[in-house]
Amino acid sequence: MWNYEKRLEYPVNITRPNAKIAQIIMTQYGGPDGEMGASLRYLSQRYSMPYRKVTGILTDIGTEELAHLEMIAAIVRQLTKGLSAEELEAAGFAPYYVDHTAGIWPTAAAGIPFNACEFQSKGDAITDLFEDMAAEQKARTTYDNILRLVKDPEVCDPIRFLRQREIVHFQRFGEANREECGKGKYKFKRCYSPDVFSFQPFFCLYSVPHATIASKIGFRLYPVSVKVYSTRGGTSGYTFRVSNPLSSIERKFAVKTFCDTFPIDFFNSPNRFVPSSKSRIINTFQRSLISISVVSTGQAGKFLSIKILISSQ
Amino acid sequence: MMCQMNQLSQMNQEQLLNFINVVSFQVIDTQLYLDSHTQDEEAIGHFNYYMDLRRNALQLYADQFGPLTIDTANPTNCWKWAEQPWPWEGGNC
C-alpha cells in the first residue's frame, strides 16, 4: 500500500524554460538508467529477496525513486511550460511535441521509449543486488553527463541532489550485499583460515554467498553440480609451489682433517708441540636432496606443471 | 469517539489490522469522491470521522505491534520497520 505526500523531495523552481535541456533531462524519466526503471527494478525485486532487511532497503529505495521520478517530471514540466510550438521546434523538441505536446512521457533522450528490458529481476539475491549497485552507478554517470551539458544553476541544483542520492543508494545496496548476503561461518572458515594451501588468501568478501543463503532460507538457489559460487568471475590464476626441504638452516659440523697434512711437516713445524688437530669445525649449509614443484594456472585455464629435482652432494 | 478507542485497545492484531483496512478504504474512497465533489459537507464530515479513526488506529497498532507507516514508526532503541514480516509473507494481512 502506498500513500502520496503532496511535496517534492527536493524543491524544483525553474524560471527559464529551455526545451533543449528538457530533452536531455527527460532521459532520467524513461531512459535506460532512469528513475522509472530504477523504481520498478527495486519494487519488483523485493518479493523474492530472502533477507527482510534487504527487502526493507529495496522497498524504501524503490519508494524514494518514485519521488525522484516526480522531481524529474517537475523539472521537464517547468522547462517546457509556456513555450510556443515554434520555440519548441527551434530547440529540436518537435519530434516529441508532435506525439505528446507538452505531456510527460517516459522516453530516452534519443527518442527510444521506456522498456522493461532496461532492468532485471532475477530472483537471486546476489544477482539482483549487483544489478542494483551497477544501476545506481549508471544513473550517477548519467547525472554527471547532464551536469556537463547543462549550465543553468536552477536545473543543476536539483540534479546535483539526485546525483548524490544515487551514491547513497549505491552505498546502502553495497552494505546489504556485504552484511546480509556475505556473512556466515562458512565464509570465515574459507577466508580467514591460516592454511597455506588455501588458494584464496586475500579474496573473502563474496566468496560463498550462495552457501550462506542456502543455510538461511532452507533451499539451494544454485544447481546441484555447482558446489561453491564465486562472484569474482573467470578462471583464477594461481601458482602453488612446494619445495623440499622447506628451508635450510646453518649448522656446524666437523670435517676430518687428520692425514690431510703431510706427516713430516708436523714434525718439523713450530706447532709440533701443540695438540694435534684431528678435525676442524666449519660452518656450512645443509645440502640435501632438493626438489621443487610448481603448479600454475592462468586465465587460459591450462594447467602447467613443472617439477625440478636437483640432487647434489 | 472515546467508545471507539476503548474498543480498539481491546482488539487483537488481526482485528485491529482489519479495522485499519476498513477505515482506510473509507478514507481513500471519500478522498476520491471529494476530489470531484469539493463542496459536499456531508462527505467532508465522513472523511474527517474516518481519518481520525485511521490515525488513532495506526498509532495504536504501531505502539502494540510495530509500525505500518513511517509516520507512526517512532523508534526508541530498535528499528522494527524492516525486521517485521512483509505483507506478501502473510505478515500484516
Side-chain angles (χ1 to χ4, degrees):
Chain A
M1 178 72 201
W2 264 267
N3 284 321
Y4 179 70
E5 284 186 29
K6 203 178 170 185
R7 62 186 186 91
L8 292 178
E9 192 186 358
Y10 187 90
V12 175
N13 295 308
I14 295 161
T15 52
R16 292 178 291 273
N18 184 333
K20 230 172 214 163
I21 298 177
Q23 204 166 7
I24 294 167
I25 305 275
M26 180 60 101
T27 209
Q28 277 303 85
Y29 192 79
D33 307 309
E35 304 290 355
M36 183 169 284
S39 184
L40 292 177
R41 174 187 294 115
Y42 308 144
L43 295 179
S44 303
Q45 284 178 356
R46 63 199 184 112
Y47 299 95
S48 63
M49 184 54 69
Y51 302 111
R52 281 219 182 110
K53 270 186 191 167
V54 186
T55 308
I57 289 171
L58 287 169
T59 305
D60 293 343
I61 294 181
T63 304
E64 190 182 338
E65 300 290 7
L66 285 173
H68 295 174
L69 189 72
E70 187 186 26
M71 278 179 66
I72 293 291
I75 293 171
V76 174
R77 173 64 187 156
Q78 291 182 9
L79 282 171
T80 51
K81 194 182 172 188
L83 292 180
S84 67
E86 290 75 23
E87 286 172 314
L88 289 168
E89 192 185 7
F93 210 64
Y96 183 92
Y97 175 79
V98 73
D99 282 332
H100 313 291
T101 324
I104 303 291
W105 186 69
T107 172
I112 303 152
F114 175 72
N115 190 330
C117 294
E118 282 146 5
F119 67 86
Q120 253 303 352
S121 177
K122 209 74 176 169
D124 180 308
I126 302 299
T127 312
D128 283 351
L129 278 171
F130 272 97
E131 149 120 5
D132 299 344
M133 290 168 72
E136 294 294 341
Q137 288 302 328
K138 287 187 280 181
R140 196 264 307 152
T141 307
T142 311
Y143 282 125
D144 277 343
N145 293 342
I146 288 173
L147 288 169
R148 285 186 195 105
L149 294 166
V150 176
K151 298 295 170 225
D152 186 346
E154 289 177 343
V155 180
C156 288
D157 188 39
I159 292 293
R160 279 199 199 93
F161 172 83
L162 292 170
R163 179 191 176 277
Q164 188 58 37
R165 295 307 295 164
E166 307 298 342
I167 296 167
V168 172
H169 292 171
F170 175 79
Q171 194 71 23
R172 296 286 93 80
F173 282 130
E175 286 159 2
N177 200 351
R178 187 170 66 237
E179 281 156 33
E180 294 302 310
C181 304
K183 73 183 174 193
K185 65 176 182 180
Y186 190 38
K187 186 195 95 171
F188 289 104
K189 194 176 160 193
R190 284 282 303 184
C191 305
Y192 297 116
S193 162
D195 184 3
V196 291
F197 294 105
S198 169
F199 295 140
Q200 294 180 314
F202 54 85
F203 189 85
C204 54
L205 211 54
Y206 309 113
S207 63
V208 284
H210 284 76
T212 318
I213 292 172
S215 72
K216 283 192 175 179
I217 63 174
F219 58 90
R220 304 201 299 183
L221 287 164
Y222 51 88
V224 179
S225 59
V226 181
K227 286 250 170 71
V228 171
Y229 267 29
S230 164
T231 47
R232 297 170 70 184
T235 313
S236 305
Y238 62 84
T239 301
F240 183 54
R241 180 188 157 133
V242 179
S243 62
N244 180 33
L246 278 167
S247 59
S248 296
I249 49 159
E250 191 189 48
R251 64 172 195 174
K252 291 178 177 177
F253 68 101
V255 177
K256 197 173 159 194
T257 54
F258 191 60
C259 287
D260 280 1
T261 44
F262 202 64
I264 196 73
D265 289 349
F266 175 73
F267 296 113
N268 293 334
S269 89
N271 292 334
R272 61 186 181 278
F273 299 113
V274 302
S276 87
S277 158
K278 290 190 176 177
S279 64
R280 194 186 299 157
I281 301 295
I282 60 164
N283 294 326
T284 187
F285 287 95
Q286 177 193 23
R287 296 173 74 194
S288 62
L289 187 74
I290 299 169
S291 75
I292 300 166
S293 52
V294 179
V295 177
S296 188
T297 69
Q299 292 295 323
K302 292 190 175 171
F303 280 84
L304 172 73
S305 179
I306 306 164
K307 197 159 194 181
I308 307 162
L309 273 171
I310 306 163
S311 34
S312 58
Q313 215 172 24
Chain B
M1 204 58 173
M2 283 311 294
C3 170
Q4 285 277 9
M5 279 308 289
N6 286 336
Q7 283 175 358
L8 287 186
S9 57
Q10 284 164 12
M11 285 179 179
N12 64 26
Q13 185 171 7
E14 196 184 340
Q15 289 168 328
L16 188 53
L17 190 73
N18 191 46
F19 181 81
I20 289 171
N21 283 343
V22 169
V23 293
S24 297
F25 182 72
Q26 286 293 328
V27 169
I28 288 170
D29 200 32
T30 318
Q31 175 189 350
L32 286 186
Y33 175 83
L34 280 168
D35 283 347
S36 55
H37 301 79
T38 51
Q39 306 296 320
D40 191 327
E41 284 178 16
E42 195 188 338
I44 288 171
H46 194 76
F47 177 85
N48 285 334
Y49 177 74
Y50 284 104
M51 198 61 188
D52 276 349
L53 284 180
R54 176 182 138 84
R55 205 175 284 126
N56 291 329
L58 280 175
Q59 192 56 58
L60 197 67
Y61 191 96
D63 295 343
Q64 290 185 5
F65 311 112
L68 292 177
T69 68
I70 208 69
D71 294 322
T72 54
N74 196 21
T76 47
N77 52 6
C78 177
W79 186 250
K80 290 182 184 172
W81 177 251
E83 294 287 352
Q84 292 182 324
W86 292 88
W88 59 90
E89 295 178 318
N92 303 322
C93 61

